[in-house]
Coordinates of all heavy atoms in Angstrom, one line a residue:
M100 N -38.1 114.2 89.3 CA -38.5 113.2 88.4 C -39.6 113.7 87.5 O -40.6 114.3 87.9 CB -39.0 112.0 89.2 CG -38.0 111.3 90.1 SD -36.8 110.3 89.2 CE -37.8 108.9 88.7
S101 N -39.4 113.4 86.2 CA -40.5 113.8 85.2 C -41.4 112.6 85.1 O -41.1 111.5 85.5 CB -39.8 114.2 83.9 OG -39.2 113.0 83.4
E102 N -42.6 112.9 84.4 CA -43.5 111.8 84.2 C -43.1 110.8 83.2 O -43.3 109.6 83.3 CB -44.9 112.4 83.8 CG -45.5 113.2 84.9 CD -46.9 113.8 84.5 OE1 -47.4 113.3 83.5 OE2 -47.3 114.8 85.2
V103 N -42.4 111.3 82.2 CA -41.8 110.4 81.2 C -40.5 109.9 81.6 O -39.6 110.7 82.0 CB -41.6 111.2 79.8 CG1 -41.0 110.3 78.8 CG2 -43.0 111.7 79.3
S104 N -40.4 108.6 81.6 CA -39.1 108.0 82.1 C -38.0 108.3 81.1 O -38.0 108.0 79.9 CB -39.3 106.5 82.2 OG -38.0 105.9 82.5
T105 N -36.9 108.9 81.7 CA -35.7 109.1 80.9 C -34.6 108.4 81.4 O -33.4 108.7 81.2 CB -35.4 110.7 80.8 OG1 -35.3 111.2 82.1 CG2 -36.5 111.4 80.0
S106 N -34.8 107.4 82.3 CA -33.8 106.7 83.0 C -33.0 105.9 81.9 O -33.6 105.4 81.0 CB -34.3 105.7 84.0 OG -35.1 106.4 85.0
P107 N -31.7 105.8 82.1 CA -30.9 105.0 81.2 C -31.4 103.5 81.3 O -31.8 103.1 82.3 CB -29.5 105.1 81.8 CG -29.5 106.4 82.5 CD -30.9 106.5 83.1
V108 N -31.3 102.9 80.1 CA -31.7 101.5 80.0 C -30.6 100.6 79.5 O -29.9 101.0 78.6 CB -32.9 101.3 79.0 CG1 -33.3 99.9 78.8 CG2 -34.1 102.1 79.5
A109 N -30.3 99.5 80.2 CA -29.2 98.7 79.8 C -29.4 98.0 78.5 O -30.6 97.5 78.3 CB -28.9 97.7 80.9
A110 N -28.4 98.0 77.6 CA -28.5 97.2 76.4 C -28.0 95.8 76.6 O -26.8 95.7 76.9 CB -27.7 97.9 75.3
V111 N -28.9 94.8 76.6 CA -28.5 93.5 76.9 C -28.5 92.7 75.6 O -29.6 92.6 74.9 CB -29.5 92.8 77.9 CG1 -29.1 91.4 78.2 CG2 -29.5 93.7 79.2
H112 N -27.4 92.0 75.3 CA -27.4 91.2 74.1 C -28.1 89.8 74.4 O -27.8 89.2 75.4 CB -25.9 90.9 73.7 CG -25.8 90.0 72.6 ND1 -25.3 88.7 72.7 CD2 -26.2 90.1 71.3 CE1 -25.3 88.1 71.5 NE2 -25.9 88.9 70.6
L113 N -29.0 89.5 73.5 CA -29.7 88.2 73.6 C -29.6 87.4 72.3 O -29.4 88.0 71.2 CB -31.2 88.5 73.9 CG -31.6 89.2 75.2 CD1 -33.1 89.4 75.2 CD2 -31.2 88.3 76.4
E114 N -29.7 86.1 72.4 CA -29.7 85.3 71.2 C -31.1 85.4 70.6 O -32.1 85.9 71.3 CB -29.5 83.8 71.6 CG -28.1 83.6 72.2 CD -27.0 84.0 71.3 OE1 -27.2 83.9 70.0 OE2 -25.9 84.4 71.7
K115 N -31.2 85.0 69.4 CA -32.4 85.3 68.6 C -33.7 84.8 69.3 O -34.7 85.6 69.4 CB -32.3 84.6 67.2 CG -33.5 84.9 66.3 CD -33.2 84.3 64.9 CE -34.3 84.7 63.9 NZ -34.0 84.1 62.6
T116 N -33.8 83.6 69.8 CA -35.0 83.1 70.4 C -35.4 83.9 71.6 O -36.6 84.3 71.7 CB -34.8 81.6 70.8 OG1 -34.5 80.9 69.7 CG2 -36.1 81.1 71.4
A117 N -34.4 84.2 72.5 CA -34.7 84.9 73.7 C -35.2 86.4 73.3 O -36.1 86.9 74.0 CB -33.5 85.0 74.6
F118 N -34.5 86.9 72.4 CA -34.8 88.3 71.9 C -36.3 88.4 71.5 O -37.0 89.3 72.0 CB -33.9 88.7 70.8 CG -34.2 90.1 70.2 CD1 -33.8 91.2 70.9 CD2 -34.9 90.2 69.0 CE1 -34.0 92.5 70.3 CE2 -35.2 91.5 68.5 CZ -34.7 92.6 69.2
H119 N -36.8 87.5 70.7 CA -38.1 87.6 70.2 C -39.1 87.1 71.3 O -40.3 87.6 71.3 CB -38.3 86.7 69.0 CG -37.7 87.3 67.8 ND1 -38.2 88.4 67.2 CD2 -36.5 87.0 67.1 CE1 -37.4 88.8 66.1 NE2 -36.4 87.9 66.1
E120 N -38.8 86.3 72.2 CA -39.7 85.8 73.2 C -39.8 86.8 74.4 O -40.9 87.1 74.9 CB -39.3 84.5 73.8 CG -39.5 83.3 72.8 CD -39.1 82.0 73.4 OE1 -38.6 81.9 74.5 OE2 -39.4 81.0 72.7
E121 N -38.7 87.4 74.8 CA -38.7 88.3 76.0 C -39.2 89.7 75.7 O -39.8 90.3 76.5 CB -37.3 88.3 76.6 CG -36.9 86.9 77.2 CD -35.6 87.0 77.9 OE1 -35.2 88.1 78.3 OE2 -34.9 85.9 78.0
R122 N -38.9 90.2 74.5 CA -39.2 91.6 74.2 C -38.8 92.5 75.3 O -39.6 93.4 75.7 CB -40.7 91.7 73.9 CG -41.2 91.0 72.6 CD -40.8 91.8 71.4 NE -41.3 91.1 70.2 CZ -42.2 91.7 69.4 NH1 -42.7 92.9 69.6 NH2 -42.6 91.1 68.3
K123 N -37.6 92.3 75.7 CA -37.1 93.1 76.8 C -36.6 94.5 76.4 O -35.8 94.6 75.4 CB -35.9 92.3 77.5 CG -35.2 93.1 78.6 CD -34.2 92.2 79.2 CE -33.3 92.9 80.2 NZ -34.0 93.5 81.3
A124 N -37.1 95.5 77.0 CA -36.8 96.9 76.5 C -35.3 97.1 76.5 O -34.6 96.8 77.6 CB -37.4 97.9 77.4
G125 N -34.7 97.5 75.4 CA -33.3 97.8 75.3 C -32.4 96.6 74.9 O -31.2 96.8 74.7
S126 N -33.0 95.4 74.8 CA -32.2 94.2 74.4 C -32.0 94.3 72.9 O -32.6 95.1 72.2 CB -33.0 92.9 74.8 OG -34.2 92.8 74.0
F127 N -30.9 93.6 72.5 CA -30.6 93.6 71.1 C -30.0 92.3 70.6 O -29.6 91.5 71.4 CB -29.6 94.8 70.8 CG -28.2 94.6 71.4 CD1 -27.2 94.1 70.6 CD2 -28.0 94.8 72.7 CE1 -25.9 93.9 71.1 CE2 -26.7 94.6 73.3 CZ -25.7 94.1 72.5
M128 N -30.0 92.1 69.3 CA -29.3 90.9 68.7 C -28.6 91.4 67.5 O -29.0 92.4 66.8 CB -30.3 89.8 68.5 CG -31.4 90.1 67.5 SD -32.5 88.7 67.1 CE -31.8 88.3 65.5
I129 N -27.6 90.6 67.1 CA -26.8 91.0 65.9 C -26.9 89.9 64.9 O -26.9 88.7 65.2 CB -25.3 91.1 66.3 CG1 -25.1 92.2 67.4 CG2 -24.5 91.4 65.1 CD1 -25.4 93.6 67.0
G130 N -27.1 90.3 63.6 CA -27.1 89.3 62.5 C -25.7 88.9 62.2 O -24.7 89.3 62.8
D131 N -25.6 88.0 61.2 CA -24.3 87.6 60.7 C -23.6 88.8 60.1 O -24.2 89.5 59.3 CB -24.4 86.5 59.7 CG -24.9 85.2 60.3 OD1 -24.7 85.0 61.5 OD2 -25.6 84.4 59.6
V132 N -22.3 88.9 60.4 CA -21.5 90.0 59.8 C -21.1 89.6 58.4 O -20.5 88.5 58.2 CB -20.3 90.3 60.7 CG1 -19.5 91.5 60.1 CG2 -20.7 90.7 62.1
D133 N -21.4 90.4 57.4 CA -21.0 90.1 56.0 C -19.5 90.3 55.9 O -18.8 90.8 56.7 CB -21.7 91.1 55.1 CG -23.2 91.0 55.1 OD1 -23.7 90.0 55.6 OD2 -23.9 92.0 54.6
S134 N -19.1 89.8 54.7 CA -17.6 89.9 54.4 C -17.2 91.4 54.3 O -16.0 91.7 54.5 CB -17.3 89.2 53.1 OG -18.1 89.8 52.0
D135 N -18.2 92.2 54.0 CA -17.8 93.7 54.0 C -17.9 94.4 55.3 O -17.8 95.6 55.4 CB -18.7 94.4 52.9 CG -20.2 94.3 53.2 OD1 -20.5 93.7 54.3 OD2 -21.0 94.7 52.4
G136 N -18.3 93.6 56.4 CA -18.3 94.1 57.7 C -19.6 94.7 58.1 O -19.7 95.3 59.2
E137 N -20.6 94.6 57.3 CA -21.9 95.1 57.6 C -22.8 94.0 58.2 O -22.7 92.9 57.9 CB -22.6 95.7 56.4 CG -21.9 96.9 55.8 CD -22.6 97.6 54.6 OE1 -23.8 97.4 54.5 OE2 -22.0 98.2 53.8
T138 N -23.7 94.4 59.1 CA -24.7 93.5 59.7 C -25.9 94.2 60.1 O -26.1 95.4 59.9 CB -24.0 92.8 60.9 OG1 -24.9 91.7 61.3 CG2 -23.8 93.7 62.0
S139 N -26.9 93.4 60.6 CA -28.1 93.9 61.1 C -28.1 94.0 62.6 O -27.7 93.1 63.3 CB -29.3 93.0 60.6 OG -29.3 92.9 59.2
F140 N -28.6 95.2 63.1 CA -28.6 95.4 64.5 C -30.1 95.5 64.9 O -30.8 96.5 64.6 CB -27.9 96.7 64.9 CG -27.7 97.0 66.4 CD1 -26.6 96.7 67.0 CD2 -28.8 97.5 67.1 CE1 -26.4 96.9 68.4 CE2 -28.7 97.8 68.4 CZ -27.5 97.5 69.1
W141 N -30.6 94.4 65.5 CA -32.1 94.4 65.9 C -32.1 94.8 67.4 O -31.3 94.4 68.2 CB -32.6 93.0 65.8 CG -32.6 92.4 64.4 CD1 -31.5 91.8 63.9 CD2 -33.6 92.4 63.4 NE1 -31.8 91.3 62.6 CE2 -33.1 91.7 62.3 CE3 -34.9 92.8 63.4 CZ2 -33.8 91.4 61.2 CZ3 -35.6 92.6 62.2 CH2 -35.1 91.9 61.1
Y142 N -33.1 95.7 67.7 CA -33.2 96.1 69.1 C -34.6 96.2 69.5 O -35.5 96.5 68.6 CB -32.5 97.5 69.3 CG -33.1 98.6 68.6 CD1 -34.0 99.4 69.3 CD2 -32.9 98.9 67.3 CE1 -34.6 100.5 68.6 CE2 -33.5 99.9 66.6 CZ -34.4 100.7 67.3 OH -35.0 101.7 66.6
C143 N -34.9 96.0 70.7 CA -36.2 96.2 71.3 C -36.2 97.6 71.9 O -35.3 98.0 72.7 CB -36.5 95.2 72.4 SG -38.2 95.2 72.9
C144 N -37.1 98.5 71.4 CA -37.2 99.9 71.8 C -36.9 100.1 73.3 O -37.5 99.3 74.1 CB -38.5 100.5 71.4 SG -38.6 102.3 71.7
P145 N -36.1 101.0 73.7 CA -35.8 101.2 75.1 C -37.0 101.6 76.0 O -36.9 101.5 77.2 CB -34.7 102.3 75.1 CG -34.1 102.2 73.7 CD -35.2 101.8 72.8
C146 N -38.0 102.2 75.3 CA -39.2 102.5 76.1 C -40.0 101.2 76.2 O -39.7 100.2 75.5 CB -40.0 103.6 75.5 SG -41.2 103.2 74.3
P147 N -41.0 101.1 77.1 CA -41.6 99.8 77.3 C -42.6 99.3 76.3 O -43.4 98.4 76.5 CB -42.3 100.0 78.7 CG -41.8 101.2 79.2 CD -41.4 102.1 78.1
C148 N -42.5 99.9 75.1 CA -43.6 99.6 74.0 C -43.4 98.2 73.5 O -44.4 97.7 72.9 CB -43.5 100.6 72.9 SG -42.0 100.6 71.9
G149 N -42.2 97.6 73.5 CA -42.0 96.3 73.0 C -41.8 96.2 71.5 O -41.7 95.1 70.9
R150 N -41.7 97.4 70.8 CA -41.5 97.4 69.4 C -40.0 97.0 69.1 O -39.1 97.4 69.8 CB -41.9 98.7 68.8 CG -43.4 98.9 68.7 CD -43.7 100.2 68.1 NE -44.6 101.0 68.9 CZ -45.2 102.1 68.6 NH1 -44.9 102.6 67.4 NH2 -46.0 102.7 69.4
I151 N -39.9 96.4 67.9 CA -38.5 96.0 67.5 C -38.1 96.9 66.3 O -38.9 97.2 65.4 CB -38.5 94.5 67.1 CG1 -38.6 93.7 68.4 CG2 -37.3 94.2 66.3 CD1 -38.7 92.2 68.1
G152 N -36.9 97.4 66.4 CA -36.3 98.2 65.3 C -35.2 97.5 64.7 O -34.5 96.6 65.3
L153 N -34.8 97.8 63.4 CA -33.7 97.2 62.7 C -32.9 98.3 62.1 O -33.3 99.3 61.5 CB -34.2 96.4 61.6 CG -33.2 95.8 60.6 CD1 -32.2 95.0 61.3 CD2 -33.9 95.1 59.5
L154 N -31.6 98.3 62.4 CA -30.6 99.2 61.9 C -29.6 98.5 61.0 O -29.2 97.4 61.4 CB -29.9 99.9 63.0 CG -30.7 100.6 64.1 CD1 -29.9 101.2 65.2 CD2 -31.6 101.7 63.5
N155 N -29.1 99.1 59.9 CA -28.0 98.6 59.2 C -26.8 99.2 59.7 O -26.6 100.4 59.8 CB -28.2 99.0 57.7 CG -27.1 98.6 56.8 OD1 -26.6 97.4 57.0 ND2 -26.6 99.4 55.9
V156 N -25.9 98.4 60.2 CA -24.7 98.9 60.9 C -23.4 98.3 60.3 O -23.4 97.2 59.7 CB -24.7 98.5 62.4 CG1 -25.9 99.1 63.1 CG2 -24.6 97.0 62.7
G157 N -22.3 99.0 60.4 CA -21.0 98.5 60.1 C -20.2 98.3 61.3 O -20.3 99.1 62.3
K158 N -19.4 97.3 61.3 CA -18.5 97.0 62.5 C -17.3 97.9 62.4 O -16.4 97.7 61.6 CB -18.1 95.5 62.5 CG -17.5 95.1 63.8 CD -17.3 93.6 63.8 CE -16.7 93.1 65.1 NZ -16.6 91.7 65.2
N159 N -17.3 99.0 63.2 CA -16.3 100.0 63.3 C -16.2 100.9 62.1 O -15.2 101.5 61.9 CB -14.9 99.3 63.6 CG -14.8 98.6 64.9 OD1 -15.2 99.1 65.9 ND2 -14.4 97.4 64.9
F160 N -17.3 101.0 61.4 CA -17.4 102.0 60.3 C -18.9 102.2 60.0 O -19.7 101.4 60.3 CB -16.6 101.6 59.1 CG -17.3 100.4 58.3 CD1 -18.1 100.7 57.2 CD2 -17.2 99.1 58.7 CE1 -18.8 99.7 56.5 CE2 -17.8 98.1 58.1 CZ -18.6 98.4 57.0
K161 N -19.1 103.3 59.4 CA -20.5 103.6 59.0 C -20.7 103.3 57.5 O -20.0 103.8 56.6 CB -20.8 105.1 59.2 CG -22.2 105.5 58.9 CD -22.5 107.0 59.2 CE -23.9 107.4 59.0 NZ -24.5 107.1 57.7
P162 N -21.6 102.3 57.2 CA -21.7 101.9 55.8 C -22.1 103.1 54.9 O -22.8 104.0 55.4 CB -22.9 100.9 55.9 CG -22.8 100.4 57.2 CD -22.4 101.5 58.1
A163 N -21.7 103.1 53.7 CA -21.9 104.2 52.8 C -23.3 104.4 52.4 O -23.8 105.5 52.2 CB -21.1 104.0 51.5
D164 N -24.1 103.2 52.3 CA -25.5 103.3 52.0 C -26.3 103.7 53.2 O -26.4 102.9 54.1 CB -25.9 102.0 51.4 CG -25.2 101.6 50.1 OD1 -24.7 102.6 49.4 OD2 -25.1 100.4 49.8
G165 N -26.9 104.8 53.2 CA -27.7 105.3 54.3 C -29.1 104.8 54.2 O -29.6 104.4 53.1
P166 N -29.9 104.9 55.3 CA -29.5 105.2 56.6 C -28.7 104.1 57.3 O -29.0 102.9 57.0 CB -30.8 105.5 57.4 CG -31.8 104.7 56.7 CD -31.4 104.7 55.2
S167 N -27.7 104.4 58.0 CA -26.8 103.4 58.6 C -26.1 104.0 59.8 O -26.1 105.2 60.0 CB -25.8 102.9 57.6 OG -24.9 104.0 57.2
W168 N -25.6 103.1 60.6 CA -24.9 103.5 61.8 C -23.6 102.7 62.0 O -23.4 101.7 61.4 CB -25.8 103.1 63.0 CG -27.0 104.0 63.2 CD1 -27.1 105.0 64.2 CD2 -28.2 104.0 62.5 NE1 -28.3 105.6 64.0 CE2 -29.0 105.0 63.0 CE3 -28.7 103.2 61.5 CZ2 -30.3 105.3 62.5 CZ3 -29.9 103.5 61.0 CH2 -30.7 104.5 61.5
E169 N -22.7 103.4 62.7 CA -21.4 102.8 63.0 C -21.6 102.1 64.4 O -22.0 102.7 65.4 CB -20.3 103.8 63.1 CG -19.0 103.2 63.5 CD -17.8 104.1 63.6 OE1 -17.9 105.2 62.9 OE2 -16.8 103.9 64.2
W170 N -21.3 100.8 64.4 CA -21.3 100.0 65.7 C -19.9 99.7 66.1 O -19.0 99.4 65.2 CB -22.1 98.7 65.4 CG -22.0 97.6 66.4 CD1 -22.2 97.8 67.8 CD2 -21.8 96.2 66.2 NE1 -22.1 96.6 68.4 CE2 -21.8 95.6 67.5 CE3 -21.5 95.4 65.1 CZ2 -21.6 94.2 67.7 CZ3 -21.2 94.1 65.3 CH2 -21.3 93.5 66.5
N171 N -19.6 99.7 67.4 CA -18.2 99.5 67.8 C -17.8 98.1 67.9 O -16.7 97.7 68.3 CB -18.0 100.2 69.2 CG -18.8 99.6 70.3 OD1 -19.7 98.8 70.1 ND2 -18.4 99.9 71.5
G172 N -18.8 97.2 67.5 CA -18.4 95.8 67.5 C -18.5 95.0 68.8 O -18.3 93.8 68.9
S173 N -18.9 95.7 69.9 CA -19.0 95.1 71.2 C -20.4 94.6 71.5 O -21.4 95.3 71.2 CB -18.6 96.2 72.3 OG -18.8 95.6 73.6
L174 N -20.5 93.4 72.1 CA -21.8 92.9 72.6 C -22.0 93.2 74.0 O -23.1 93.3 74.5 CB -21.8 91.4 72.4 CG -21.7 90.8 71.0 CD1 -21.7 89.3 71.0 CD2 -22.8 91.4 70.1
D175 N -20.9 93.5 74.8 CA -21.0 93.8 76.2 C -21.3 95.3 76.4 O -22.0 95.7 77.4 CB -19.7 93.4 76.9 CG -19.5 91.9 76.9 OD1 -20.4 91.2 76.9 OD2 -18.3 91.5 76.8
A176 N -20.7 96.1 75.6 CA -20.8 97.6 75.8 C -20.9 98.2 74.4 O -20.0 99.0 74.0 CB -19.6 98.1 76.6
P177 N -22.0 97.9 73.7 CA -22.2 98.5 72.4 C -22.4 100.0 72.3 O -23.0 100.5 73.3 CB -23.4 97.7 71.8 CG -24.2 97.4 73.1 CD -23.2 97.1 74.1
T178 N -21.8 100.6 71.3 CA -22.0 102.0 71.0 C -22.5 102.1 69.6 O -21.9 101.5 68.7 CB -20.7 102.8 71.3 OG1 -20.4 102.8 72.7 CG2 -20.9 104.3 70.8
L179 N -23.5 103.0 69.3 CA -23.9 103.3 68.0 C -23.7 104.7 67.7 O -24.0 105.6 68.6 CB -25.4 102.9 67.8 CG -25.7 101.4 67.8 CD1 -27.2 101.2 67.6 CD2 -25.0 100.6 66.7
M180 N -23.3 105.1 66.5 CA -23.3 106.4 66.1 C -24.0 106.5 64.7 O -23.7 105.7 63.8 CB -21.8 106.9 65.9 CG -21.1 107.1 67.2 SD -21.5 108.6 68.1 CE -20.6 109.8 67.0
P181 N -24.8 107.5 64.4 CA -25.2 108.6 65.4 C -26.3 108.1 66.3 O -26.5 106.9 66.5 CB -25.7 109.7 64.4 CG -26.2 108.9 63.2 CD -25.3 107.7 63.1
S182 N -27.2 109.0 66.7 CA -28.2 108.7 67.6 C -29.3 107.9 66.9 O -29.4 107.9 65.7 CB -28.8 109.9 68.3 OG -29.4 110.7 67.3
V183 N -30.1 107.2 67.7 CA -31.2 106.3 67.2 C -32.5 107.0 67.5 O -32.8 107.5 68.6 CB -31.2 105.0 67.9 CG1 -32.3 104.1 67.5 CG2 -29.8 104.3 67.6
H184 N -33.4 107.1 66.4 CA -34.7 107.7 66.6 C -35.7 106.6 66.3 O -35.9 106.3 65.1 CB -34.8 108.9 65.6 CG -36.0 109.7 65.8 ND1 -36.5 110.6 64.9 CD2 -36.9 109.7 66.8 CE1 -37.6 111.1 65.3 NE2 -37.9 110.6 66.5
H185 N -36.4 106.1 67.3 CA -37.5 105.2 67.1 C -38.7 106.1 66.9 O -39.3 106.6 67.9 CB -37.6 104.3 68.3 CG -38.3 103.0 67.9 ND1 -37.6 101.8 67.7 CD2 -39.6 102.7 67.7 CE1 -38.5 100.8 67.4 NE2 -39.7 101.3 67.4
V186 N -39.1 106.3 65.7 CA -40.0 107.4 65.3 C -41.2 107.4 66.1 O -41.9 106.4 66.3 CB -40.3 107.3 63.8 CG1 -41.3 108.4 63.4 CG2 -39.1 107.4 62.9
G187 N -41.5 108.6 66.7 CA -42.7 108.8 67.4 C -42.6 108.7 68.9 O -43.4 109.4 69.6
H188 N -41.6 108.0 69.4 CA -41.7 107.8 70.8 C -40.3 107.7 71.5 O -40.3 107.7 72.8 CB -42.6 106.7 71.3 CG -42.3 105.4 70.6 ND1 -42.0 104.3 71.3 CD2 -42.3 105.1 69.3 CE1 -41.8 103.3 70.4 NE2 -41.9 103.8 69.2
W189 N -39.3 107.5 70.8 CA -38.0 107.4 71.6 C -36.9 107.9 70.7 O -36.8 107.6 69.5 CB -37.7 106.0 72.0 CG -36.6 105.9 73.1 CD1 -36.8 106.0 74.4 CD2 -35.2 105.8 72.9 NE1 -35.6 106.0 75.1 CE2 -34.6 105.9 74.2 CE3 -34.4 105.7 71.8 CZ2 -33.2 105.8 74.3 CZ3 -33.0 105.7 71.9 CH2 -32.4 105.7 73.2
H190 N -36.0 108.7 71.2 CA -34.8 109.2 70.5 C -33.7 109.4 71.5 O -33.9 109.9 72.6 CB -35.2 110.6 69.9 CG -34.0 111.2 69.1 ND1 -33.8 112.5 69.0 CD2 -33.1 110.6 68.4 CE1 -32.7 112.7 68.2 NE2 -32.3 111.5 67.8
G191 N -32.6 108.8 71.2 CA -31.5 108.9 72.1 C -30.2 108.2 71.6 O -30.1 107.9 70.4
W192 N -29.3 107.9 72.5 CA -28.0 107.4 72.1 C -27.8 106.0 72.8 O -28.2 105.8 73.9 CB -26.9 108.3 72.6 CG -27.0 109.7 71.9 CD1 -27.8 110.7 72.3 CD2 -26.2 110.1 70.8 NE1 -27.6 111.8 71.4 CE2 -26.6 111.4 70.5 CE3 -25.3 109.5 70.0 CZ2 -26.1 112.2 69.5 CZ3 -24.7 110.2 68.9 CH2 -25.1 111.5 68.7
L193 N -27.1 105.2 72.1 CA -26.6 103.9 72.7 C -25.1 104.1 72.8 O -24.4 104.2 71.8 CB -26.9 102.7 71.8 CG -26.3 101.4 72.3 CD1 -26.8 101.1 73.7 CD2 -26.7 100.2 71.4
Q194 N -24.7 104.2 74.1 CA -23.2 104.4 74.4 C -22.8 103.5 75.5 O -23.4 103.5 76.6 CB -23.0 105.9 74.8 CG -23.3 106.9 73.7 CD -23.1 108.3 74.1 OE1 -23.5 108.7 75.2 NE2 -22.5 109.2 73.3
D195 N -21.7 102.8 75.2 CA -21.1 101.9 76.2 C -22.2 101.0 76.9 O -22.2 100.8 78.1 CB -20.4 102.7 77.3 CG -19.2 103.5 76.7 OD1 -18.6 103.0 75.7 OD2 -18.9 104.5 77.2
G196 N -23.1 100.4 76.1 CA -24.0 99.5 76.6 C -25.2 100.1 77.3 O -26.0 99.4 78.0
V197 N -25.4 101.4 77.2 CA -26.6 102.0 77.9 C -27.3 102.9 76.9 O -26.7 103.7 76.2 CB -26.1 102.9 79.1 CG1 -27.3 103.6 79.8 CG2 -25.3 102.0 80.1
W198 N -28.6 102.7 76.9 CA -29.5 103.6 76.1 C -29.9 104.8 76.9 O -30.4 104.7 78.0 CB -30.8 102.9 75.7 CG -30.7 101.7 74.9 CD1 -30.6 100.4 75.3 CD2 -30.7 101.6 73.4 NE1 -30.5 99.5 74.2 CE2 -30.6 100.2 73.1 CE3 -30.7 102.6 72.4 CZ2 -30.5 99.8 71.8 CZ3 -30.7 102.1 71.1 CH2 -30.6 100.8 70.8
K199 N -29.6 106.0 76.3 CA -29.9 107.3 77.1 C -30.7 108.1 76.2 O -30.3 108.5 75.1 CB -28.6 108.0 77.4 CG -27.6 107.2 78.3 CD -26.3 107.8 78.4 CE -25.3 107.0 79.2 NZ -23.9 107.3 79.0
S200 N -31.9 108.4 76.6 CA -32.8 109.2 75.8 C -32.4 110.7 75.9 O -31.7 111.1 76.8 CB -34.2 109.1 76.4 OG -34.3 109.6 77.7
C201 N -32.8 111.4 74.8 CA -32.4 112.8 74.8 C -33.6 113.6 74.3 O -34.7 113.1 74.1 CB -31.2 113.1 73.8 SG -31.5 112.6 72.1
Ligands
ZN521 ZN1 -40.9 102.5 72.3

């Protein structure tokens, strides 16, 4: 075991109110999906800092305007491509509903 926690963290989908009140590490919420298939992916950093990040994602595609991520459209087992870098303290992947640091 290292001193820095690198344990996988479950990505739990929450509604807006719960997301902002609980600040649960690894939780996320999705904005309304536009007609072009793009939406906002809000997440609470998988480390215990409680900070919230926002990604521009496309449902099953990567939006042309960067920076952006491809989201598989799942709320139960979300996957994002490419990796997520919460600058300064967390970098890793969200795959099949689990945040894995790297
Ligand atoms: Zn953090």
Side-chain angles (χ1 to χ4, degrees):
M100 296 288 285
S101 63
E102 293 181 18
V103 176
S104 174
T105 55
S106 301
V108 174
V111 180
H112 177 247
L113 295 176
E114 298 301 329
K115 186 174 183 179
T116 302
F118 177 78
H119 286 288
E120 287 181 354
E121 295 183 23
R122 293 285 183 113
K123 178 178 169 57
S126 63
F127 69 99
M128 61 175 258
I129 303 290
D131 294 330
V132 179
D133 296 344
S134 58
D135 59 6
E137 295 185 23
T138 188
S139 300
F140 187 101
W141 302 83
Y142 66 97
C143 192
C144 185
C146 90
C148 68
R150 286 183 231 186
I151 288 174
L153 170 61
L154 306 175
N155 179 41
V156 303
K158 192 171 182 178
N159 296 312
F160 71 99
K161 186 179 185 300
D164 298 335
S167 61
W168 284 259
E169 178 177 340
W170 168 48
N171 68 345
S173 174
L174 297 178
D175 297 324
T178 294
L179 292 178
M180 288 285 284
S182 63
V183 176
H184 188 195
H185 204 100
V186 176
H188 53 120
W189 196 89
H190 183 212
W192 297 83
L193 175 57
Q194 293 177 320
D195 296 329
V197 180
W198 299 92
K199 297 168 185 164
S200 64
C201 61

